């Protein structure tokens, strides 16, 4: 465990667990089991098996030659999470947590989802492992994301539209937590990003760290040295923390998280407790989490993982913003130059790399974590470009 992890899920002042007592008991059981299995050789062998045979790891670290030449500075490499089964990094965590759930004797998985991407990853992994799967989704979100609801149902999941509150992600989280507390003896709550009360941010980082474990080995093989910078987009922060993890203790590697200008949690947030943990958060005038809007649904979250909050506070990582317009440009550029259509989320990281690389020298190397593929976004981009 890295030195960043202070006792019981604190990263400096951030993280922790601020939940009712009955939920805390359930989280303690989860923590105990995670600690027991994360270094278990049989567990890890099974995890590696599914990452290889089902997810398709390891995925390549592709040299983006045309983009590099167009930018005229640092060499740009792309870590290809877009090539995973289901087309993004979320499946790494879904598989890891389901294997843990199985070890804990759970037969039923629950999750909550906003845009539907985590719900789809969870439903996918549940289908493969033969787990009963229930996905909570705000009623409003089920209407906006009807196709993802259908996808989850195709995969055998039960999607529960949550009508309480405003029928959004927050209300779906509450419904999922209530289910978890009531049914924890056979049910596992599969959380999708590096957020939430301890031990979730630590669990999600653990299962996403495979990204930087691979990229570090790959860049040393290809270039014989570490990158100058690693760039990743940050919504809740799971692909970014996974892309950073194995470089955190390499002080010469710059770690850069990219947020949408429209949801600048780390750039403009203040320390506050939301959804059971402390992090930098955007608050409105009533001290409630601020509603955010990004063209990339996966980046649309008013908080951020506690470890990112800490990496920002200590200065170990830098956090920057790019606008939706810049992300849209990058989406088109990468498609044209490399034949790779990136997810709109990942396009934020690409957009920042396009700003940074020309300022660096040809000796420098930049790794961009391509968190997902953009097929899911093509229709939305089509509509946006028409306007
Ligand atoms: C969900 C998602 C994100 C944002 O989530 P993080 O937890 O911040 O990684 C980024 N990219 C893609 C492709 C996603 O599906």
């Amino acid at each position: 465990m890295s030195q960043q992890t202070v006792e019981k899920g604190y990263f400096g002042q951030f993280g922790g667990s601020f939940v009712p007592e009955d939920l805390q008991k359930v989280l303690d059981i989860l923590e105990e089991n995670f600690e027991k299995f994360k270094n278990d050789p049989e567990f890890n062998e099974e995890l590696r098996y599914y990452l290889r045979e089902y997810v398709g790891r390891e995925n390549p670290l592709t040299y983006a030659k045309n983009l590099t030449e167009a930018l005229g500075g640092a060499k740009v490499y792309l870590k290809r999470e877009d090539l995973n089964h289901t087309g993004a990094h979320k499946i790494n965590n879904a598989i890891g947590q389901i294997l843990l759930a199985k070890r804990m004797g759970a037969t039923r998985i629950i999750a909550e989802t906003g845009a539907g991407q985590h719900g789809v990853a969870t439903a996918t992994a549940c289908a493969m492992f033969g787990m009963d799967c229930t996905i909570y989704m705000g009623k409003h979100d089920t209407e906006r994301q009807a196709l993802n609801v259908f996808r989850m149902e195709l995969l055998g999941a039960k999607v529960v539209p949550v009508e309480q509150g405003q029928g959004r992600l927050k209300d779906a989280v509450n419904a999922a937590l209530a289910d978890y507390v009531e049914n924890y003896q056979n049910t596992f709550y599969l959380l999708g990003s590096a957020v939430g009360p301890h031990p979730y941010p630590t669990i999600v980082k653990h299962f996403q760290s495979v990204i930087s474990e691979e990229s570090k080995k790959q860049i040393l093989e290809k270039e014989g040295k570490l990158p100058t910078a690693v760039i990743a987009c940050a919504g809740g922060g799971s692909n970014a923390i996974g892309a950073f993890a194995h470089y955190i203790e390499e002080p010469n590697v710059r770690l850069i998280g990219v947020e949408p200008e429209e949801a600048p949690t780390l750039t403009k947030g203040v320390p506050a407790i939301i959804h059971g943990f402390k992090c930098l958060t955007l608050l409105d005038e009533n001290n409630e989490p601020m509603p955010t809007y990004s063209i990339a649904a996966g980046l649309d979250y008013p908080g951020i993982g506690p470890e990112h909050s800490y990496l920002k506070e200590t200065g170990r990582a830098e956090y920057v913003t790019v606008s939706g317009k810049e992300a849209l440009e990058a989406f088109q550029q990468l498609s044209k130059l490399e034949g790779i259509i990136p997810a709109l989320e990942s396009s934020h990281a690409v957009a920042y790399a396009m700003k940074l690389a020309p300022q660096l020298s040809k000796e420098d190397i930049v790794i961009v974590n391509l968190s997902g593929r953009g097929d899911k976004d093509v229709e939305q981009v089509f509509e946006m470009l028409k306007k």
Side-chain angles (χ1 to χ4, degrees):
M1 180 110 318
S2 89
Q3 64 192 34
Q4 267 75 22
T5 308
V6 196
E7 69 171 302
K8 232 178 148 46
Y10 273 90
F11 304 89
Q13 62 161 317
F14 299 107
S17 176
F18 300 86
V19 299
E21 210 173 305
D22 48 358
L23 176 56
Q24 188 58 53
K25 280 193 201 128
V26 178
L27 294 176
D28 288 343
I29 297 170
L30 174 62
E31 179 190 23
E32 200 181 295
N33 279 279
F34 173 64
E35 290 301 325
K36 182 161 122 201
F37 289 113
K38 73 173 188 204
N39 295 319
D40 179 85
E42 247 173 69
F43 178 85
N44 284 319
E45 195 177 315
E46 199 180 354
L47 177 61
R48 271 193 300 274
Y49 173 85
Y50 286 106
L51 290 180
R52 185 178 68 241
E53 302 293 330
Y54 191 69
V55 177
R57 304 200 77 94
E58 70 179 38
N59 58 42
L61 180 70
T62 306
Y63 173 44
K65 183 166 177 289
N66 300 333
L67 180 65
T68 298
E69 284 169 5
L71 297 173
K75 268 184 148 170
V76 180
Y77 280 87
L78 306 171
K79 182 59 178 155
R80 301 294 304 280
E81 296 302 305
D82 63 310
L83 292 179
N84 294 343
H85 176 48
T86 68
H89 67 291
K90 285 192 174 75
I91 191 80
N92 304 328
N93 172 57
I95 298 271
Q97 287 195 43
I98 289 200
L99 288 175
L100 181 59
K102 276 197 354 178
R103 289 292 199 284
M104 291 173 67
T107 53
R108 179 172 175 263
I109 299 290
I110 59 172
E112 96 298 314
T113 193
Q117 292 148 289
H118 173 56
V120 171
T122 302
T124 300
C126 284
M128 206 251 308
F129 286 106
M131 290 283 220
D132 186 85
C133 180
T134 300
I135 306 289
Y136 289 97
M137 196 167 179
K139 182 146 194 305
H140 180 82
D141 292 328
T142 59
E143 287 157 9
R144 278 200 311 180
Q145 302 286 344
L147 209 56
N148 272 340
V149 173
F150 178 62
R151 244 182 221 120
M152 290 181 254
E153 287 170 350
L154 264 182
L155 293 160
K158 188 167 96 195
V159 179
V160 180
V162 177
E163 298 195 31
Q164 285 95 329
Q166 298 173 299
R168 293 193 188 256
L169 179 62
K170 189 174 120 211
D171 311 297
V173 172
N174 290 337
L177 284 173
D179 181 327
Y180 190 32
V181 168
E182 190 168 311
N183 299 304
Y184 73 94
Q185 274 160 341
N186 73 345
T187 297
F188 185 99
Y189 182 8
L190 206 162
L191 215 136
S193 190
V195 297
H198 180 67
Y200 280 109
T202 301
I203 292 178
V204 175
K205 177 190 185 184
H206 180 77
F207 291 128
Q208 292 293 1
S209 293
V210 65
I211 300 173
S212 51
E213 183 187 330
E214 287 177 7
S215 79
K216 194 173 187 181
K217 185 189 89 152
Q218 290 168 315
I219 201 68
L220 288 172
E221 277 167 14
K222 287 172 198 287
E223 296 280 350
K225 62 179 181 186
L226 293 175
T228 309
V230 178
I231 304 177
C233 65
S238 72
N239 88 87
I241 205 68
F244 293 173
H246 286 264
Y247 300 102
I248 290 176
E249 296 186 23
E250 303 283 0
N252 294 330
V253 179
R254 287 172 65 183
L255 305 176
I256 305 175
V258 186
E259 298 184 303
E261 218 167 81
E262 299 79 11
T265 313
L266 283 162
T267 325
K268 301 241 173 76
V270 295
I273 294 167
I274 61 161
H275 306 162
F277 69 107
K278 190 171 177 187
C279 67
L280 291 172
T281 310
L282 295 169
L283 297 177
D284 66 14
E285 59 275 18
N286 302 319
N287 281 336
E288 289 290 326
M290 197 185 287
T292 52
Y293 175 77
S294 162
I295 59 165
L299 301 184
D300 207 352
Y301 181 64
I304 179 89
E307 192 168 359
H308 287 293
S309 303
Y310 178 73
L311 291 172
K312 149 94 185 182
E313 198 179 60
T314 58
R316 175 62 193 95
E318 307 157 51
Y319 295 88
V320 298
T321 61
V322 305
S323 68
K325 188 160 168 281
E326 290 168 320
L328 199 54
E329 281 285 331
F331 179 94
Q332 296 169 81
Q333 281 284 336
L334 195 70
S335 301
K336 268 200 196 98
L337 286 170
E338 299 291 344
I340 297 172
I341 303 177
L344 278 174
E345 291 85 0
S346 323
S347 299
H348 286 73
V350 176
Y352 191 72
M354 288 169 60
K355 290 189 192 184
L356 180 67
Q359 299 168 27
L360 300 174
S361 84
K362 291 188 167 29
E363 310 305 311
D364 288 305
I365 298 163
V366 168
I367 294 180
V368 179
N369 194 44
L370 215 65
S371 55
R373 64 174 180 239
D375 303 53
K376 69 180 177 59
D377 300 318
V378 167
E379 193 181 338
Q380 185 191 341
V381 170
F382 175 66
E383 295 298 330
M384 286 190 293
L385 291 179
K386 265 201 310 205
K387 282 179 195 151

